[in-house]
Amino acid sequence: MEAIQKEYERLIKRANLSKSINDVEHCLRLLENAREAILRDPTTSKMTLVKLQQAMSTGLSKVQDDHKEIYTGLNRYGKALDKTFKAVSTYSTNDYDALTSQAPLIKRAIAMHLIREGQFSVADFFLTEAGPIDVPPELQQEFQEMYEILDAMRTRRDLSLAIDWARQKSAQLEQRGSNLEFELCKLQFIWLFIERPERAMAYARREFSRFQEKHLKDIQQLMCAFLFLQSPEKSPYSRIFADPEKSWNDVAHSFTKEFCSLLGLSAESPLYIAATAGAIALPTLLKMASIMKEKKTEWSTVNELPAEIALPPGYQFHSIFVCPVSKDQTTDSNPPMMLPCGHVIAQESLQRLAKGGSSVTLKCPYCPRESSLHHAKPVII
Amino acid sequence: MSMSTTKLNAESHLLLDQPLLRLPHELLRKTFKTSQKHFERDQNIIMTGVKEAAAKAMAGGDPEDPVASLDSMITRMQGLKRKLESLHEDEKVLQEHSRKRISHLQDLYNIPSLVDEGYDRWSRTRLDRLLVDFLLRAGYGESAKKLAQEKQIEDLVDVDVFVQCARVEASLRRGSTVECLAWCQENKNSLRKMKSTLEFELRLQQFIELVRAGQPKEATAYSKKFLVPHSENHLKDIQKAAALLAFRPDTPWQPYKAMYSADRWEFLANAFVNTHHNLYGLPSRPLLHIALSAGLSALKTPSCHSSVASSSSNTASSTTSLCPICSTELNDLARHVPYAHHVRSSVEPDPVVLPNGRIYGRERLEELASKLGLPEEKIRDPTTGEEWDRSTVRKVFIM
């Protein structure tokens, strides 16, 4: 990148048309002056023209030099690009593109991404221009509601819409084991407490009784903060009130996650996660592809990538089970099986161990315990 | 834990971003070449004019004669200056694009790791760029413009280039070669260097249309003028074209049937787009495809299309988040890509199994039970909602 930067600086400083224009202007002046001189005194015309011929020749060759300099500058800049991106030429020939034939699905993914990111007007353009696209009909309305609520939280520090929503959905949230409603009310209390403690007291009296059964401890802590109103630095509860900005962000994040989950969607845009993971994975995949091309081998399993790809933490969503015997990942047709001793191996490995049939005793590969195929039980990771 | 990393290697991370700098560079080169062409032509004419005027004066011509020829030279010179000035304006815009793009890419070098907030922001801008690129290639120029505008990334995307490309492409699909031939003329030298056959194919199409229209004389004349100059590389094709004169448009005989076919327009449109992208250093496939197919695979697990809901990633409880591949947006799209390779199991710590065979980390079960306010001895399955006695929970060993 440094090389590119350097060549770029050179380009704008030296290799651009402004110099050529100056030198063209100079030639223009030569012509004009010659014309005037001849008009003024036609008898000098011979000498003027001879001089002009010489001056023009020099002047124009200067313009030519200016052009040469641009040419050199552009070439050097181009070479800096080549050098920085030299690995890239391979990606147009690799075959990581199962997607060309999937245009409707990609369009759907994009439309849903635009909607969930709150880009409603772009989404409208897109649905008109590229439609019809199979997007759930209610989706836009749902996310409009979500952004209204988030916007109220972010710009006006207003939680009422969010709390109303959480109350409306309390049965579903309850079922999911979500404490969102309490989290929202708690933040409301914290916010009031920081600004106007007397209103926080009134708020707590009005709202907290409903949460007593499940959140008594939290409520006690919040209420004890009143005892330290005069000397908050001594309060053992100061940390609850210490970073309201973070509390707002955390609550907004929980709200978004719950909202999306109730719609059956992941909390972050899948398109964003996948494109980012892709950019991180690409160098490894390209390296693999070029190694395999060199060695003229192919992947042993088309279903699985040939190399492990390291992604940042937070990009693993599922637990992974790799059979310790066969080193295969388990699938629907080869599920993980638990032996009575609690060790888990893939079904195919188990069947290999129990060559003789389901009643043959087999020893667990990891402990001395013996059992048989029909004592093993499928598990779900 | 499975293999994970937070290391950001900016150099290799920019694989997708070459066109960002390549395109303005190619456009700058084009601007330069145009300027050079103008200059070279005018230079010759003016120098010749000056020499002639001087020679005439030496030969004792009318001393007032040179004024008229000087006037015409001045006009020409002024014209040249105007042309260069206008090109210089284009040049400034392109250089400004390059500057902004270099600084955008440079930002990545200053981000310490993949888990930095700055990376998140950078990667979101990248996604917006990839989306605009996709929309432009798919011919959805208005959506592309709108997105670029709203995200304020107009300097990082090349709407105009793609819109022009789409215009020529559309004209070919409509059955017109005019726009595309003009484009070939504009880029004559580069196309010759690339050994592009696009122009020949367009000329051939024109010839075919004349034959189809029942104008053999005109067709032959056209062939002489426009096809024969390509005979060095296309002799066979020219012979084939000549033979076409003997076949009617409804002929069942190949290859003449194919030559008359309307599919050739589709072929020309695709050939043009490929040539165009090649010329500007643009990859032939949308960058979004490249990023997505790599990303889908890197994230995909056998659980993502399993008939059984995954215990570790679903929307049934607040203790899990749904995997992006399992979410509606990408699930069908990821169906046919390979899944990620793992060499080690990676499960939640302290895994236990419930009587229904579902495996969870003990802590997650505890967390859910406490959030639900369940009685001390109870546990609830976060996925199925079944409740069990704690005594039925068994330790399981994942190696």
Side-chain angles (χ1 to χ4, degrees):
Chain A
M1 208 59 201
E2 254 169 57
I4 292 180
Q5 191 95 39
K6 205 180 105 206
E7 293 304 332
Y8 174 76
E9 295 300 332
R10 195 187 136 95
L11 208 58
I12 45 163
K13 233 185 263 154
R14 311 240 296 271
N16 67 66
L17 284 171
S18 65
K19 246 192 192 164
S20 313
I21 292 170
N22 282 340
D23 289 330
V24 165
E25 249 166 27
H26 174 71
C27 292
L28 188 59
R29 242 170 289 128
L30 289 177
L31 289 170
E32 283 165 348
N33 290 344
R35 179 180 178 275
E36 244 170 71
I38 293 173
L39 274 182
R40 220 183 302 123
D41 183 0
T43 57
T44 65
S45 105
K46 213 193 287 180
M47 210 173 61
T48 310
L49 284 172
V50 173
K51 266 194 198 153
L52 178 68
Q53 190 183 341
Q54 226 168 35
M56 280 299 279
S57 162
T58 326
L60 287 172
S61 71
K62 241 181 154 180
V63 183
Q64 197 158 28
D65 291 345
D66 300 336
H67 271 84
K68 262 186 210 144
E69 188 155 10
I70 303 179
Y71 181 77
T72 316
L74 284 172
N75 262 357
R76 290 176 60 149
Y77 179 71
K79 282 203 182 111
L81 289 186
D82 289 344
K83 222 171 147 192
T84 310
F85 294 109
K86 61 177 176 292
V88 179
S89 48
T90 47
Y91 78 65
S92 43
T93 52
N94 80 44
D95 42 12
Y96 290 111
D97 196 357
L99 304 184
T100 309
S101 55
Q102 307 276 11
L105 290 176
I106 294 181
K107 287 200 269 183
R108 179 170 75 173
I110 292 176
M112 288 182 77
H113 168 80
L114 292 171
I115 291 171
R116 73 143 62 224
E117 294 293 288
Q119 301 279 309
F120 301 121
S121 60
V122 185
D124 283 342
F125 262 85
F126 184 52
L127 290 171
T128 327
E129 216 172 10
I133 298 173
D134 176 24
V135 172
E138 307 289 307
L139 198 68
Q140 177 137 347
Q141 215 180 331
E142 298 275 9
F143 276 103
Q144 257 157 358
E145 187 187 359
M146 186 181 97
Y147 278 102
E148 250 165 60
I149 296 172
L150 282 173
D151 194 52
M153 286 168 67
R154 282 189 190 126
T155 57
R156 302 197 300 277
R157 293 301 189 210
D158 175 1
L159 284 159
S160 57
L161 290 176
I163 294 173
D164 286 349
W165 180 85
R167 277 189 192 150
Q168 245 176 53
K169 307 280 179 187
S170 64
Q172 281 156 284
L173 292 172
E174 182 73 16
Q175 179 64 31
R176 290 171 43 75
S178 159
N179 296 328
L180 181 65
E181 190 188 343
F182 179 67
E183 293 299 320
L184 290 165
C185 290
K186 182 176 159 186
L187 178 62
Q188 181 68 78
F189 174 87
I190 293 172
W191 193 241
L192 288 170
F193 184 88
I194 294 170
E195 305 256 296
R196 304 175 56 186
E198 72 285 359
R199 285 187 55 196
M201 179 67 90
Y203 183 82
R205 285 196 173 152
R206 197 171 67 237
E207 303 291 342
F208 279 176
S209 58
R210 293 182 300 122
F211 300 112
Q212 260 179 27
E213 203 184 321
K214 263 169 76 179
H215 301 288
L216 190 57
K217 214 171 157 203
D218 288 279
I219 294 171
Q220 283 167 348
Q221 285 185 352
L222 291 173
M223 298 314 281
C224 283
F226 282 109
L227 303 176
F228 296 90
L229 212 46
Q230 308 309 325
S231 49
E233 68 284 354
K234 285 187 195 147
S235 165
Y237 308 112
S238 60
R239 104 201 117 71
I240 301 177
F241 303 91
D243 192 351
E245 196 54 42
K246 183 175 177 303
S247 307
W248 280 101
N249 283 339
D250 290 349
V251 169
H253 187 258
S254 317
F255 166 75
T256 310
K257 186 184 158 193
E258 291 303 317
F259 196 102
C260 293
S261 294
L262 291 194
L263 295 176
L265 299 175
S266 65
E268 261 283 15
S269 161
L271 201 61
Y272 168 70
I273 300 283
T276 306
I280 297 170
L282 212 50
T284 316
L285 291 177
L286 286 179
K287 211 178 195 174
M288 276 318 292
S290 70
I291 290 174
M292 277 190 292
K293 207 171 165 192
E294 236 168 68
K295 293 191 173 166
K296 297 203 169 105
T297 52
E298 285 189 13
W299 309 351
S300 51
T301 41
V302 278
N303 288 335
E304 195 170 337
L305 287 182
E308 190 164 24
I309 287 165
L311 294 176
Y315 279 68
Q316 194 201 327
F317 295 85
H318 294 277
S319 291
I320 301 288
F321 181 70
V322 177
C323 172
V325 178
S326 65
K327 303 288 174 199
D328 286 333
Q329 287 184 70
T330 47
T331 59
D332 276 10
S333 55
N334 179 24
M337 301 291 284
M338 183 177 67
L339 295 165
C341 51
H343 285 107
V344 182
I345 62 176
Q347 191 179 48
E348 284 172 10
S349 307
L350 192 65
Q351 279 160 351
R352 234 167 277 144
L353 284 175
K355 277 168 257 151
S358 61
S359 54
V360 174
T361 20
L362 56 89
K363 192 192 85 67
C364 169
Y366 298 98
C367 73
R369 205 155 143 195
E370 292 191 336
S371 61
S372 65
L373 201 52
H374 63 236
H375 285 117
K377 213 180 123 180
V379 287
I380 303 160
I381 301 270
Chain B
M1 238 2 243
S2 75
M3 203 157 84
S4 104
T5 183
T6 60
K7 191 168 169 278
L8 173 59
N9 179 350
E11 201 78 34
S12 68
H13 207 81
L14 292 180
L15 279 172
L16 286 169
D17 301 308
Q18 148 149 272
L20 198 60
L21 298 184
R22 187 65 74 183
L23 185 59
H25 176 60
E26 290 302 328
L27 292 172
L28 264 177
R29 279 179 19 141
K30 201 175 155 192
T31 311
F32 166 72
K33 279 184 202 154
T34 313
S35 155
Q36 203 177 27
K37 209 171 66 193
H38 286 315
F39 169 68
E40 273 167 9
R41 206 191 50 202
D42 289 345
Q43 179 196 29
N44 277 336
I45 294 174
I46 289 171
M47 270 324 283
T48 318
V50 174
K51 269 185 210 154
E52 269 172 16
K56 259 190 209 158
M58 295 298 271
D62 182 348
E64 298 221 5
D65 242 14
V67 176
S69 66
L70 278 174
D71 276 340
S72 88
M73 281 185 254
I74 287 170
T75 315
R76 183 166 290 278
M77 207 66 188
Q78 279 165 339
L80 176 64
K81 190 182 146 207
R82 266 197 306 276
K83 280 181 229 157
L84 293 195
E85 275 167 350
S86 136
L87 287 168
H88 184 42
E89 289 307 311
D90 296 347
E91 186 184 64
K92 276 196 256 181
V93 172
L94 290 168
Q95 286 183 340
E96 182 59 13
H97 279 177
S98 295
R99 189 184 67 76
K100 291 214 168 111
R101 292 167 185 208
I102 291 171
S103 116
H104 170 64
L105 295 186
Q106 188 65 49
D107 286 345
L108 188 68
Y109 285 76
N110 304 331
I111 293 169
S113 86
L114 293 174
V115 287
D116 191 81
E117 227 174 89
Y119 179 70
D120 185 63
R121 263 196 307 276
W122 198 88
S123 184
R124 279 179 197 281
T125 306
R126 170 176 54 204
L127 176 60
D128 291 329
R129 285 195 282 115
L130 299 188
L131 286 174
V132 173
D133 175 79
F134 174 89
L135 294 171
L136 287 169
R137 285 164 182 267
Y140 309 134
E142 292 306 313
S143 313
K145 263 185 233 169
K146 186 88 185 154
L147 180 60
Q149 228 171 44
E150 286 208 358
K151 296 291 188 169
Q152 298 177 325
I153 51 167
E154 284 136 307
D155 289 323
L156 302 181
V157 294
D158 298 283
V159 175
D160 295 344
V161 171
F162 279 101
V163 167
Q164 271 181 36
C165 173
R167 197 175 48 83
V168 177
E169 183 190 354
S171 75
L172 286 171
R173 292 226 156 84
R174 273 199 316 271
S176 159
T177 54
V178 182
E179 290 86 346
C180 195
L181 279 170
W183 183 84
C184 288
Q185 184 59 31
E186 235 177 85
N187 296 285
K188 211 170 166 182
N189 288 334
S190 316
L191 293 179
R192 196 182 305 142
K193 240 183 239 163
M194 285 164 58
K195 299 207 167 81
S196 160
T197 61
L198 181 63
E199 195 193 334
F200 177 77
E201 294 293 348
L202 292 167
R203 297 290 182 194
L204 181 59
Q205 187 68 38
Q206 286 287 73
F207 171 81
I208 295 169
E209 293 310 317
L210 287 171
V211 179
R212 193 200 309 277
Q215 301 176 297
K217 258 193 214 149
E218 287 81 352
T220 314
Y222 189 88
S223 167
K224 258 190 208 147
K225 189 163 175 205
F226 292 112
L227 295 185
V228 173
H230 294 274
S231 48
E232 196 185 322
N233 300 319
H234 294 284
L235 193 57
K236 281 235 168 77
D237 297 307
I238 296 171
Q239 287 164 347
K240 223 163 58 182
L244 188 69
L245 287 164
F247 294 88
R248 288 159 43 118
D250 56 0
T251 177
W253 299 104
Q254 291 294 15
Y256 308 102
K257 189 183 172 195
M259 288 173 82
Y260 278 124
S261 160
D263 292 348
R264 257 191 69 86
W265 289 106
E266 186 64 25
F267 158 78
L268 288 174
N270 291 335
F272 162 70
V273 172
N274 283 337
T275 310
H276 174 273
H277 290 357
N278 215 340
L279 184 69
Y280 287 125
L282 298 166
S284 55
R285 284 188 317 240
L287 294 165
L288 186 69
H289 283 193
I290 298 170
L292 264 191
S293 45
L296 293 178
S297 277
L299 293 166
K300 184 176 162 181
T301 70
S303 309
C304 295
H305 296 91
S306 162
S307 53
V308 192
S310 154
S311 297
S312 43
S313 174
N314 55 55
T315 56
S317 89
S318 65
T319 59
T320 45
S321 351
L322 187 66
C323 146
I325 306 296
C326 298
S327 200
T328 324
E329 290 94 328
L330 299 181
N331 196 249
D332 287 341
L333 193 58
R335 200 169 287 277
H336 301 293
V337 305
Y339 50 77
H341 179 70
H342 291 278
V343 291
R344 239 182 315 262
S345 293
S346 110
V347 295
E348 292 166 61
D350 197 3
V352 294
V353 62
L354 299 183
N356 60 3
R358 287 196 170 266
I359 293 181
Y360 299 99
R362 193 184 292 274
E363 201 186 312
R364 186 140 67 90
L365 292 178
E366 305 283 354
E367 185 194 340
L368 183 65
S370 102
K371 275 186 167 175
L372 288 166
L374 291 184
E376 202 54 39
E377 72 283 0
K378 287 284 181 193
I379 221 85
R380 185 187 289 178
D381 182 325
T383 312
T384 66
E386 293 163 281
E387 280 186 20
W388 313 90
D389 260 11
R390 269 171 197 267
S391 60
T392 61
V393 174
R394 283 195 51 199
K395 181 139 187 59
V396 63
F397 301 99
I398 308 283
M399 317 274 296

